[in-house]
């Protein structure tokens, strides 16, 4: 396990009694959660449990109807000015990569820094190349996403988010759409990112990653946080019956 | 035949069996795959030979290219009588534009390619400088064609006609309707109710009315709808109608393209902090337009050919000029030659647009480079 020296007690995300509905369907129920700077949290749970929706609420890709979400001391409301500030501080990596297919890898990485952060083009390109080197694909910079493998695309997506120099990174099942051979390269990239002290919230079923990197593991079911604990206790002594059942299903096959 | 054996993992890449690839393979697979297929191939070749022989004879070898009248033509040979075209080619191209001033049209036409080059070919050298010319070109063309400035003789629009009129209407309609169509497509997808409703109304009205009705409105009624004191020439009014009409179609084509973009693209752009206009400019439109190229060009080709409808409001497009030629007793009855010539002109223009769109689609295809 990587020892987290970067974790501090300064909260960067605070969620208080937050609820969300899709129409009449109550997807998130009374969620309260604090994330400190440098903390790495893994969220797991059966499909439909609301874990993706939860992290999508943190940069307002989904709108919550009740309760508060405070990111970097800014409350998430309908105010567009606040929203753009928060979004450029919070990076997100998606299950389906969502790279822009009409732009090269390099352009994917520099688009938002140039236009949202108003970085000069040359600086943005230098930064992008540095980050593409960090995710180990600088040689693909001038190719289009369609020419890369899934694992490479996901690493580009990580680099693209990092180009905005975010304070927090959200990962929404980053390895679920990948072949087994490619999962490792993406997880390795994420582990290296964790070692730099990035605050990370990761929705994943990769329990090996959780054991190795997470400071805390959250188990969600039917829109509720059922259990939250450090990985050692979470995996060895789960308290809740549903957690036990879930762990037995995903660990013993 | 004995199969050679290899150790596992050492099987080499072998060439395909002979006769399945290359020219020979293609011919065998497509033309002579079975006995009936071979018979059909031979039959078609024989048929084509007789057909083409007759057609080429009529078009070229037995045709007359210069004569004083149809009767004079027939005395020389029994093929096509192209004299009706060659004797009146000036009218077909320039309408009734004064002969001494026709160089103005020639220059405008030739410089049009220079103005379009940087828009159509993004990789062209010195593109930035050429783009300045493209921006300046509409004024340049207007002054040169209409005259009245810089000592150029003013030409009445009623003298316009022929292919020149088609190109003016077509190019103006195409150039104006694309941006308008994009705005309408975005408007239709907008979250602002007023903008959306207005866009929907405009699109549905324009699509729901026959173009010919709009042209009659343009020729007779448009001045009632415009603020008092404005008085556009009929040419401008017709261009406005063509623009509105094809913008409505283009808007719908582009809307289809916008809706084909996966939701994840917007989410990724949102997550990067991009605002609406940044998303539209860098994410939505480049992808939507690329998907919509075939539909957009389809609409352009339709618009270009529909310019012949102006004949109903008294403008002399190539068909009008053709009819005038046929009404001449000297050329009575040469409608085949006349209409074929006009058809050829339209075919060349439209085929060029179609090839360009194929080229562009290929160029923008980033998946298989």
């Amino acid at each position: 396990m990587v020892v987290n020296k970067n974790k501090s007690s300064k909260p960067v995300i605070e969620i208080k009694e937050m609820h969300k509905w899709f129409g009449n369907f109550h997807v998130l129920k009374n969620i309260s959660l604090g994330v400190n700077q440098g903390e790495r949290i893994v969220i797991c749970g059966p499909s439909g449990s609301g874990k993706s929706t939860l992290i999508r609420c943190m940069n307002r890709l989904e709108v919550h109807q009740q309760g508060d979400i405070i990111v970097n001391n800014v409350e998430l409301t309908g105010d567009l000015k606040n929203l753009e500030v928060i979004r450029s501080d919070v990076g997100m990596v998606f299950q389906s990569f969502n790279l822009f297919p009409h732009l090269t890898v390099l352009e994917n990485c520099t688009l938002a820094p140039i236009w949202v952060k108003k970085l000069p083009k040359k600086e943005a390109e230098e930064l992008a190349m540095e980050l593409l080197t960090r995710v180990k694909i600088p040689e693909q910079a001038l190719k289009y996403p369609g020419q890369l493998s899934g694992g490479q695309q996901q690493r580009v997506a990580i680099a693209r988010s990092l180009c905005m120099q975010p304070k927090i990174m959200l990962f929404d099942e980053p390895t679920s759409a990948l072949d087994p051979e490619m999962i490792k390269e993406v997880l390795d990239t994420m582990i290296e990112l964790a070692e730099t002290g990035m605050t990370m919230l990761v929705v994943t079923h990769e329990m090996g990653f959780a054991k190795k990197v997470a400071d805390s593991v959250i188990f969600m079911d039917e829109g509720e946080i059922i259990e939250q604990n450090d990985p050692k206790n979470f995996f060895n002594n789960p308290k809740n019956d549903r957690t036990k059942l879930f762990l037995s299903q995903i660990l013993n096959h | 035949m004995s199969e050679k054996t290899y150790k596992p993992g050492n099987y080499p890449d072998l060439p395909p069996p002979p006769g399945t690839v290359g020219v020979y393979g293609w011919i065998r697979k497509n033309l002579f795959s079975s006995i009936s297929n071979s018979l059909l191939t031979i039959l078609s070749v024989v048929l084509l030979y007789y057909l083409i022989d007759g057609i080429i004879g009529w078009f070229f070898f037995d045709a007359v290219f210069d004569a004083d009248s149809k009767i004079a033509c027939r005395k020389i040979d029994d093929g096509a009588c192209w004299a009706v075209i060659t004797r009146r080619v000036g009218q077909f191209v320039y309408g009734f534009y004064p002969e001494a001033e026709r160089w103005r049209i020639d220059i405008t036409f030739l410089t049009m390619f220079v103005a379009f080059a940087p828009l159509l070919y993004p990789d062209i050298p010195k593109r930035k400088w050429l783009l300045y010319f493209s921006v300046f070109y509409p004024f340049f063309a207007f002054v040169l064609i209409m005259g009245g400035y810089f000592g150029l003789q003013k030409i009445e629009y009623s003298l316009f006609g022929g292919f020149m009129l088609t190109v003016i209407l077509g190019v103006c309609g195409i150039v104006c309707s694309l941006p308008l169509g994009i705005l309408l497509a975005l408007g239709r997808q907008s979250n602002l109710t007023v903008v959306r409703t207005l866009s929907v109304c405009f699109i549905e009205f324009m699509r729901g009315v026959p173009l010919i009705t709009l042209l009659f409105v343009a020729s007779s009624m448009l001045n009632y709808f415009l603020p008092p004191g404005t008085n556009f020439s009929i040419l401008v009014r017709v261009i406005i109608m063509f623009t509105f009409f094809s913008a409505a179609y283009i808007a719908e084509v582009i809307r289809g393209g916008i809706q084909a973009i996966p939701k994840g693209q917007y989410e990724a752009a949102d997550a990067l902090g991009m605002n609406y206009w940044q998303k539209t400019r860098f994410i939505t439109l480049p992808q939507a337009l690329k998907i919509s190229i075939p539909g957009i060009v389809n609409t352009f080709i339709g618009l270009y050919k529909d310019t012949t409808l102006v004949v109903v409001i008294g403008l002399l497009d190539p068909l009008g000029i053709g009819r005038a030629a046929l009404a001449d007793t000297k050329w009575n009855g040469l409608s085949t030659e006349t209409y074929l010539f006009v058809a050829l002109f339209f075919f060349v223009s439209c085929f060029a647009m179609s090839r360009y769109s194929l080229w562009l689609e290929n160029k923008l295809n980033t998946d298989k480079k």
Side-chain angles (χ1 to χ4, degrees):
Chain A
M1 187 183 155
V2 183
V3 180
N4 191 353
K5 300 184 205 97
N6 304 299
K7 190 180 152 188
S8 73
S9 53
K10 190 181 154 213
V12 284
I13 298 180
E14 282 179 273
I15 300 177
K16 288 180 214 151
E17 293 166 13
M18 188 266 281
H19 293 256
K20 167 159 184 67
W21 288 264
F22 281 131
N24 287 325
F25 178 54
H26 200 167
V27 254
L28 292 177
K29 298 167 185 165
N30 199 32
I31 304 282
S32 289
L33 174 68
V35 182
N36 289 327
Q37 191 173 1
E39 202 173 3
R40 280 108 57 164
I41 295 181
V42 165
I43 304 171
C44 61
S47 70
S49 59
K51 50 196 193 306
S52 286
T53 312
L54 173 60
I55 69 162
R56 286 160 64 87
C57 282
M58 295 179 195
N59 64 353
R60 213 174 165 83
L61 284 183
E62 301 289 354
V63 177
H64 62 284
Q65 283 96 359
Q66 200 179 313
D68 299 323
I69 302 178
I70 297 161
V71 179
N72 265 337
N73 299 320
V74 186
E75 195 184 339
L76 279 182
T77 59
D79 184 358
L80 286 174
K81 262 269 152 321
N82 279 350
L83 190 57
E84 276 157 30
V85 172
I86 288 170
R87 279 177 174 168
S88 57
D89 275 346
V90 181
M92 186 159 197
V93 174
F94 299 86
Q95 180 179 354
S96 49
F97 328 139
N98 294 348
L99 293 176
F100 306 129
H102 59 298
L103 300 177
T104 62
V105 165
L106 188 63
E107 288 165 340
N108 263 281
C109 292
T110 56
L111 183 66
I114 290 173
W115 293 94
V116 178
K117 286 202 132 179
K118 314 290 181 206
L119 224 58
K121 191 176 174 210
K122 199 161 163 267
E123 246 174 76
E125 282 179 353
E126 278 166 12
L127 178 66
M129 284 313 294
E130 190 189 314
L131 287 162
L132 286 172
T133 311
R134 206 195 309 165
V135 300
K136 301 190 179 66
I137 35 177
E139 71 283 358
Q140 313 283 3
L142 298 178
K143 288 194 183 166
Y144 287 93
Q147 298 164 283
L148 306 185
S149 74
Q152 289 173 324
Q153 289 194 40
Q154 194 59 297
R155 284 185 284 152
V156 172
I158 294 172
R160 177 176 72 177
S161 293
L162 292 176
C163 280
M164 289 297 282
Q165 296 167 305
K167 301 193 175 74
I168 304 159
M169 284 288 283
L170 308 174
F171 292 85
D172 186 2
E173 305 204 25
T175 56
S176 302
L178 295 174
D179 291 339
E181 289 174 66
M182 293 166 183
I183 290 177
K184 188 176 175 295
E185 61 186 57
V186 170
L187 289 180
D188 285 346
T189 309
M190 289 167 63
I191 291 169
E192 275 170 40
L193 182 63
E195 284 163 358
T196 65
M198 178 64 75
T199 311
M200 292 165 75
L201 278 108
V202 185
V203 172
T204 187
H205 294 128
E206 295 296 330
M207 289 304 132
F209 175 81
K211 282 178 192 164
K212 202 167 174 188
V213 173
D215 296 310
S216 162
V217 182
I218 291 175
F219 174 69
M220 287 184 72
D221 194 16
E222 295 182 357
E224 284 180 87
I225 294 183
I226 304 288
E227 189 165 348
Q228 175 171 14
N229 215 332
D230 60 82
K232 209 172 164 193
N233 283 316
F234 182 85
F235 289 109
N236 297 336
N237 319 302
K239 294 187 195 83
N240 191 288
D241 288 343
R242 272 193 278 181
T243 317
K244 284 177 196 161
L245 180 67
F246 177 74
L247 286 176
S248 71
Q249 278 166 343
I250 64 165
L251 294 176
N252 311 322
H253 58 77
Chain B
M1 207 164 75
S2 67
E3 187 79 24
K4 240 184 127 183
T5 51
Y6 299 96
K7 267 189 201 158
N10 288 321
Y11 209 99
D13 295 331
L14 300 176
T20 55
V21 287
V23 182
Y24 178 69
W26 185 89
I27 290 176
R28 206 172 76 158
K29 192 172 138 211
N30 291 288
L31 300 178
F32 298 101
S33 60
S34 66
I35 294 175
S36 53
N37 194 352
S38 308
L39 281 176
L40 264 175
T41 302
I42 294 165
L43 199 73
S44 310
V45 168
V46 172
L47 216 70
L48 271 177
Y49 173 77
Y50 283 107
L51 217 64
I52 288 178
D53 191 40
I55 290 175
I56 290 184
W58 186 84
F59 265 92
F60 301 106
F61 301 123
D62 305 332
V64 179
F65 292 91
D66 195 33
D68 287 327
S69 68
K70 186 189 170 191
I71 299 156
C73 262
R74 288 285 171 264
K75 275 186 191 146
I76 301 172
D77 213 331
D78 58 355
C81 177
W82 296 117
V84 60
I85 307 298
T86 49
R87 284 292 167 96
R88 287 175 166 256
V89 75
Q91 259 183 42
F92 271 107
V93 176
Y94 305 98
F96 296 99
Y97 207 84
E99 227 159 302
E101 304 292 326
R102 282 177 183 171
W103 59 271
R104 283 156 57 175
I105 302 296
D106 296 337
I107 289 180
T108 316
F109 184 70
L110 292 176
T111 46
M112 182 178 79
F113 292 100
V114 183
F116 271 118
L119 301 173
L120 297 180
Y121 300 99
D123 299 332
I124 204 164
K126 302 251 190 316
R127 177 166 189 248
K128 214 175 131 198
W129 291 103
L130 286 169
L131 274 175
Y132 286 119
F133 180 68
S134 309
V135 173
F136 163 73
Y137 179 75
F139 307 99
F140 171 75
F142 179 81
V143 169
L144 208 54
I145 295 176
M146 300 297 290
Y149 304 92
F150 309 113
L152 289 170
Q153 186 195 335
K154 191 165 167 44
I155 314 283
E156 284 303 314
Y157 68 84
S158 53
L159 299 176
F160 291 12
F163 298 144
M164 159 206 159
L165 181 67
T166 303
V167 173
I168 290 176
L169 292 176
V171 169
C172 291
I174 285 170
V175 168
C176 301
S177 64
L178 185 61
L180 185 62
I182 291 172
L183 287 179
L184 284 170
L186 292 174
R188 192 164 187 163
Q189 305 282 80
S190 169
N191 291 326
L192 308 169
T193 318
V194 180
V195 175
R196 193 175 55 238
T197 315
L198 283 176
S199 306
V200 170
C201 290
F202 183 89
I203 292 168
E204 295 302 339
F205 175 76
M206 283 296 161
R207 283 202 308 170
V209 175
L211 179 57
I212 224 160
T213 321
L214 294 175
L215 291 179
F216 280 127
V217 170
S219 77
S220 57
M221 281 161 57
L222 198 61
N223 278 347
Y224 293 113
F225 299 129
L226 295 169
T230 50
N231 187 16
F232 295 141
S233 73
I234 180 87
L235 204 65
V236 175
R237 284 185 262 163
V238 165
I239 288 172
I240 290 175
M241 281 309 177
F242 275 122
T243 303
F244 283 0
F245 188 75
S246 73
Y249 279 88
I250 286 173
E252 286 299 277
V253 170
I254 293 175
R255 182 168 70 102
I258 293 175
Q259 283 172 345
I261 299 173
K263 212 174 121 217
Q265 292 288 308
Y266 303 117
E267 287 177 353
D270 280 338
L272 289 167
M274 295 167 86
N275 63 30
Y276 174 80
W277 289 107
Q278 289 167 343
K279 269 190 290 179
T280 302
R281 177 173 162 199
F282 298 114
I283 310 302
T284 317
L285 283 184
Q287 297 189 60
L289 290 176
K290 186 185 127 190
I291 302 171
S292 323
I293 289 170
I296 293 174
V297 173
N298 204 13
T299 314
F300 283 167
I301 289 177
L303 165 86
Y304 193 74
K305 291 190 297 183
D306 281 348
T307 55
T308 50
L309 289 174
V310 295
V311 80
V312 300
I313 54 169
L315 295 180
L316 285 176
D317 80 306
L319 281 181
I321 299 279
R323 280 208 286 188
L326 293 174
D328 187 338
T329 43
K330 280 199 291 185
W331 307 110
N332 234 327
L334 290 175
S335 46
T336 314
E337 286 85 345
T338 312
Y339 290 131
L340 270 176
F341 177 64
V342 175
L344 180 73
F345 163 76
F346 278 101
F347 177 77
V348 168
S349 321
C350 295
F351 190 64
M353 283 192 245
S354 151
R355 297 315 293 187
Y356 172 74
S357 94
L358 270 184
W359 176 84
L360 191 63
E361 268 174 71
N362 254 327
K363 183 182 150 58
L364 295 180
N365 184 357
T366 53
D367 293 343
K368 312 178 200 153
K369 249 182 212 166

